[in-house]
Amino acid sequence: FGLTSSFRSVTSVRDLPPEMAIFFYEGIDYNPQHNINYTHDHTTKGSSMAWIELGLSYAYNFHRYRWNSWSAGITLKPLLGNAGLYASATDADYYVHNDDSLSVYNGTVEFGLALPIDYETDEVLSPLKTRGFGFGVDLGITFQYTEKGHSTAIYSRLCEPPFEEYNYRLGFSVLDLGYIRFKQNAVQQSYVNSSTEWYRPYDTVKYSSISNILYKIEDHFLANAESFESAESFTMYLPPALSIQADVKLRKNTYLNVTGIYGLKLGNRFLYRPSVISFAARYETARWEVSLPVSVYEWDITNPRIGLSVRYGNFFIGADRLNSLLGINNFNGMDFYAGLRLNLSNLFRMNFLKGHCGMQKMYNIETFDYRNF
């Protein structure tokens, strides 16, 4: 069993046409893109959500025979939505004449927002207030082929069983199946096959609030829309993904890990998790460890990320994209991370839960085994 809690925030944009990205950055007065008719028959999607996640995990070793071991687990996650925003545009057909006028010949637009902002005054509200509720689940299964088989001894304390070295481990999991329905401070609208003519002289109502922006969108697109829908609640979905993992022992204390995460590209209201494949060689002992991960994002093998991480005891530190510092490719960002795992049963005098095995458990089990947490 396990209990977890976390605060998560995810933003994703998919299938954004290059000229739209340039207009967002440069503004409508970007001359090189004037007097051009742009058409897009695909859907451009953008979504962002922040939420608090509580998790109850249960895993069970359902089969142990000779060298084989099978385990399955599930995590149930109540979700508290703090903020949500999504927008999509389909069949866009528009013409930018100049910095004063824009013709939208056709377009289907849908959006929803539930933000920590007063829409009338733009006053910032509490970002941690719950504006929606939902539920999520993670599922996984693991196969392990041990090196010496399983112990048949009977143990009276959780900290007693020795760590069983393995030749390899294989795993498969389904991540982030879930949703949040926003009902507080929520606005949702959709315009199907609408058109409009926008002229700067006509646009005499200046921006003053989010409510003002919503009013201007309705004023421009409602009259010519084939259909229109509006609601005070909407549902957004977590970034679902499939994951496979393999961890192989090459020789004593030396391992190779391969992990693949495939982000599922689903509907307009789904967050999107990037697809990643990583290869990580590591040298690991009970006391210390060093790892060299190489990862590829979104199948772009021309732009790999080379990292380095080190652990001593329960403290670890690492960095991503060392190849940028080495000048192998252009520098456009880097991640640093560090962490410390604390043995809560020792800190809070709760050894009665797992037993009193002293330093024996430091060497009898894998460093990040549940009994050493």
Side-chain angles (χ1 to χ4, degrees):
F1 290 94
L3 294 173
T4 60
S5 64
S6 61
F7 174 81
R8 298 176 62 186
S9 177
V10 177
T11 298
S12 59
V13 178
R14 292 170 284 163
D15 301 319
L16 180 67
E19 71 277 358
M20 282 190 182
I22 294 174
F23 276 132
F24 287 146
Y25 182 79
E26 299 284 354
I28 194 175
D29 55 353
Y30 185 63
N31 291 328
Q33 293 191 166
H34 289 168
N35 298 312
I36 299 176
N37 191 178
Y38 297 102
T39 59
H40 307 292
D41 58 0
H42 63 272
T43 301
T44 298
K45 314 175 192 69
S47 53
S48 181
M49 189 164 67
W51 70 97
I52 294 173
E53 188 172 279
L54 307 175
L56 171 62
S57 300
Y58 172 74
Y60 182 63
N61 185 202
F62 63 88
H63 180 75
R64 286 164 61 92
Y65 181 71
R66 292 188 176 182
W67 295 273
N68 298 336
S69 176
W70 288 88
S71 301
I74 184 172
T75 299
L76 304 177
K77 304 183 294 186
L79 308 174
L80 310 178
N82 306 120
L85 171 68
Y86 82 92
S88 66
T90 306
D91 297 328
D93 183 358
Y94 62 99
Y95 191 101
V96 180
H97 303 277
N98 48 54
D99 60 352
D100 287 333
S101 60
L102 163 70
S103 297
V104 179
Y105 301 125
N106 185 65
T108 296
V109 179
E110 178 184 348
F111 64 88
L113 63 156
L115 304 176
I117 299 174
D118 186 315
Y119 298 156
E120 296 294 336
T121 65
D122 281 2
E123 177 187 358
V124 178
L125 307 176
S126 171
L128 296 181
K129 180 181 178 181
T130 300
R131 296 174 177 83
F133 295 92
F135 186 79
V137 63
D138 298 330
L139 304 167
I141 188 169
T142 300
F143 171 76
Q144 177 175 289
Y145 185 78
T146 60
E147 191 174 72
K148 297 180 180 180
H150 306 293
S151 171
T152 58
I154 298 176
Y155 301 100
S156 60
R157 293 172 293 185
L158 285 173
C159 60
E160 283 184 327
F163 169 63
E164 296 174 345
E165 185 61 85
Y166 57 90
N167 287 316
Y168 61 86
R169 285 174 170 173
L170 302 175
F172 174 78
S173 52
V174 182
L175 307 174
D176 283 336
L177 296 177
Y179 70 95
I180 296 178
R181 183 160 186 80
F182 290 95
K183 293 184 178 181
Q184 300 294 325
N185 210 30
V187 175
Q188 189 272 334
Q189 292 183 357
S190 65
Y191 301 83
V192 177
N193 293 334
S194 185
S195 62
T196 190
E197 295 288 337
W198 179 82
Y199 298 95
R200 181 165 292 180
Y202 168 76
D203 187 23
T204 57
V205 180
K206 302 301 181 182
Y207 167 80
S208 60
S209 64
I210 292 179
S211 290
N212 175 243
I213 293 178
L214 296 175
Y215 168 77
K216 290 169 66 175
I217 292 175
E218 185 173 329
D219 181 56
H220 278 282
F221 290 97
L222 180 58
N224 297 319
E226 183 178 301
S227 65
F228 168 75
E229 292 183 1
S230 179
E232 296 182 351
S233 65
F234 62 91
T235 300
M236 290 187 66
Y237 300 90
L238 301 185
L242 305 177
S243 177
I244 56 173
Q245 314 93 37
D247 199 50
V248 181
K249 181 180 180 181
L250 302 178
R251 53 181 299 179
K252 184 179 180 180
N253 298 330
T254 305
Y255 301 83
L256 174 65
N257 179 274
V258 181
T259 298
I261 299 176
Y262 180 72
L264 299 177
K265 297 181 179 180
L266 300 177
N268 298 343
R269 304 184 189 186
F270 281 80
L271 297 168
Y272 175 62
R273 182 196 300 256
S275 296
V276 181
I277 184 169
S278 69
F279 304 86
R282 74 183 187 278
Y283 184 85
E284 175 186 295
T285 69
R287 182 65 63 183
W288 66 279
E289 171 186 342
V290 61
S291 177
L292 293 170
V294 178
S295 56
V296 173
Y297 282 66
E298 289 296 294
W299 320 117
D300 184 8
I301 61 175
T302 64
N303 189 27
R305 296 168 178 253
I306 302 173
L308 172 67
S309 66
V310 178
R311 175 185 60 81
Y312 183 79
N314 285 345
F315 173 75
F316 59 91
I317 186 171
D320 191 9
R321 291 190 64 84
L322 294 180
N323 44 320
S324 297
L325 293 181
L326 298 175
I328 298 176
N329 52 18
N330 293 333
F331 181 85
N332 55 20
M334 175 174 286
D335 297 329
F336 289 96
Y337 55 88
L340 177 65
R341 294 187 68 138
L342 300 177
N343 191 323
L344 299 182
S345 61
N346 286 341
L347 287 176
F348 296 104
R349 302 295 187 268
M350 297 174 64
N351 280 329
F352 63 88
L353 293 174
K354 301 172 184 176
H356 296 269
C357 295
M359 289 302 294
Q360 172 187 351
K361 73 175 182 177
M362 177 65 181
Y363 299 99
N364 273 4
I365 64 175
E366 187 181 20
T367 304
F368 290 125
D369 189 282
Y370 74 94
R371 289 162 290 182
N372 201 30
F373 178 64

